[in-house]
């Protein structure tokens, strides 16, 4: 049974005993982080988009762990140019890796890095299947109707959705996203890291109602998927 660990903000690790896959490992500068980038041990890193609160420490962790970064082509190329091992996918594309099955899905958001907003392709959501369980991380996105298509075509054991508002869905839209995705479990993220995205996750739990089992994770928490 794969496990999901929360590292604060939108950062997670999925592990199935053999493999450890980080999603958006933003630790340095993440006020919610309970571990440092040097302590993270993974063999793959999946990135939803190029913003610094998602790429985070991915490149240094990938180099130290000899882990493969999986991202859309433009972001994967950037990681490769910076010395990391990277595999490009793009929206709609899936691949069975040694460490699990990864598919990139659409997200409505930007993707760039650095003071000059260096463009890194489009933002994405990701589907990860490991140990027979499928997890969807929506990345940073607004609500969109094709979330229903994602949930219909890929029955979700767990969905991770942003609720912070301002840059992404807020609570009401994230609850509607949960109804469209119809996962067994839903985990809110991307809130309370900074003042701009302050939210009460209990309001999200109430808004989700019986649509899914809502699990509010504290940074450092680990659950079975
Ligand atoms: Ni972003
Ligand atoms: Mn973000």
């Amino acid at each position: 049974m794969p496990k999901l660990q929360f590292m604060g903000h939108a950062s997670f690790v999925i592990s199935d005993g053999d493999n450890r896959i980080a999603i958006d490992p933003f630790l340095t500068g993440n006020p919610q982080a309970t571990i440092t980038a040097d302590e993270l041990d993974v063999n793959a890193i999946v990135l939803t988009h190029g913003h610094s609160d998602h790429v985070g420490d991915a490149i240094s962790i990938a180099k130290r762990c000899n882990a493969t970064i999986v991202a859309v082509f433009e972001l994967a190329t950037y990681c490769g140019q910076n010395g990391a091992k990277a595999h490009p996918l793009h929206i709609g594309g899936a691949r069975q890796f040694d460490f699990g099955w990864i598919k990139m899905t659409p997200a409505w958001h930007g993707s760039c890095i650095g003071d000059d907003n260096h463009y890194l392709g489009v933002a994405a959501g990701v589907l990860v299947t490991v140990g027979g369980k499928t997890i969807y991380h929506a990345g940073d996105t607004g609500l969109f109707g094709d979330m229903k298509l994602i949930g219909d075509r890929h029955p979700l054991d767990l969905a991770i959705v942003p609720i912070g508002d301002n840059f992404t869905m807020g609570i009401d839209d994230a609850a509607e996203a949960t109804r469209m995705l119809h996962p067994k479990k839903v985990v809110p993220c991307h809130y309370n890291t900074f003042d701009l995205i302050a939210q009460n996750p209990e309001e999200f739990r109430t808004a989700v109602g019986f649509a899914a089992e809502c699990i509010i994770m504290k940074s450092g928490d680990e659950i079975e998927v």
Side-chain angles (χ1 to χ4, degrees):
M1 185 112 35
K3 291 189 166 64
L4 179 75
Q5 186 178 15
F6 185 42
M7 299 187 290
H9 195 52
S11 302
F12 292 84
V13 174
I14 301 165
S15 54
D16 69 354
D18 295 326
N19 297 293
R20 288 173 56 79
I21 303 166
I23 303 177
D24 290 356
F26 165 53
L27 297 166
T28 304
N30 175 355
Q32 296 179 346
T34 55
I35 61 167
T36 67
D38 290 343
E39 292 168 328
L40 189 65
D41 180 26
V42 294
N43 55 339
I45 298 169
V46 182
L47 298 179
T48 61
H49 65 291
H51 289 157
S52 57
D53 60 318
H54 296 260
V55 170
D57 303 287
I59 290 168
S60 66
I61 294 165
K63 287 181 188 171
R64 178 176 51 77
C65 298
N66 195 30
T68 302
I69 295 176
V70 180
V72 298
F73 177 82
E74 295 85 346
L75 178 52
T77 301
Y78 172 84
C79 293
Q81 286 166 345
N82 283 276
K85 192 165 65 179
H87 183 99
L89 293 178
H90 228 301
I91 306 294
R95 188 172 190 85
Q96 180 68 53
F97 296 91
D98 292 345
F99 45 81
W101 181 86
I102 313 283
K103 182 174 184 176
M104 291 283 160
T105 63
W108 281 104
H109 194 69
S111 182
C112 59
I113 204 162
D115 293 339
D116 63 347
N117 283 348
H118 178 70
Y119 171 72
L120 291 172
V122 296
V126 294
L127 288 158
V128 179
T129 300
V130 289
K133 300 280 184 173
T134 299
I135 296 165
Y136 169 65
H137 189 311
D140 282 1
T141 186
L143 179 65
F144 56 93
D146 284 352
M147 286 180 173
K148 180 165 189 323
L149 189 63
I150 293 170
D152 286 351
R153 289 182 56 76
H154 304 284
L156 302 176
D157 294 288
L158 188 145
I160 298 164
V161 295
I163 66 164
D165 218 338
N166 195 84
F167 298 113
T168 68
M169 297 187 283
I171 283 174
D172 286 352
D173 281 354
E176 182 62 21
T178 305
R179 287 187 280 276
M180 285 198 285
L181 293 162
H182 53 87
K184 291 187 181 130
K185 298 173 182 174
V186 65
V187 173
C189 75
H190 212 274
Y191 66 95
N192 290 353
T193 324
F194 312 106
D195 290 346
L196 266 178
I197 54 173
Q199 294 290 348
N200 179 354
E202 290 298 338
E203 291 178 13
F204 175 66
R205 188 201 299 282
T206 301
V208 166
F210 295 106
E213 180 190 352
C214 179
I215 302 172
I216 296 168
M217 297 180 75
K218 292 191 304 294
S219 185
D221 282 356
E222 187 173 66
I223 59 169
E224 287 198 340
V225 177

